[in-house]
Coordinates of all heavy atoms in Angstrom, one line a residue:
V42 N 154.7 193.3 189.1 CA 153.7 193.5 188.1 C 152.8 192.3 188.0 O 151.6 192.4 187.8 CB 154.5 193.8 186.7 CG1 153.4 193.8 185.6 CG2 155.2 195.1 186.9
H124 N 162.7 215.7 193.2 CA 163.1 214.9 194.3 C 163.2 215.7 195.6 O 162.9 215.2 196.7 CB 164.5 214.3 194.0 CG 164.7 213.0 194.7 ND1 165.4 211.9 194.2 CD2 164.3 212.5 195.9 CE1 165.4 210.9 195.0 NE2 164.8 211.3 196.1
S172 N 151.1 214.9 192.6 CA 151.5 214.0 193.6 C 152.5 214.7 194.6 O 153.2 215.7 194.2 CB 152.2 212.8 193.1 OG 153.4 213.1 192.4
P186 N 150.0 217.6 208.2 CA 149.4 218.8 207.5 C 149.5 218.7 206.0 O 148.5 219.1 205.3 CB 150.1 220.0 208.0 CG 150.7 219.5 209.4 CD 151.0 218.1 209.2

Side-chain angles (χ1 to χ4, degrees):
V42 173
H124 208 145
S172 67

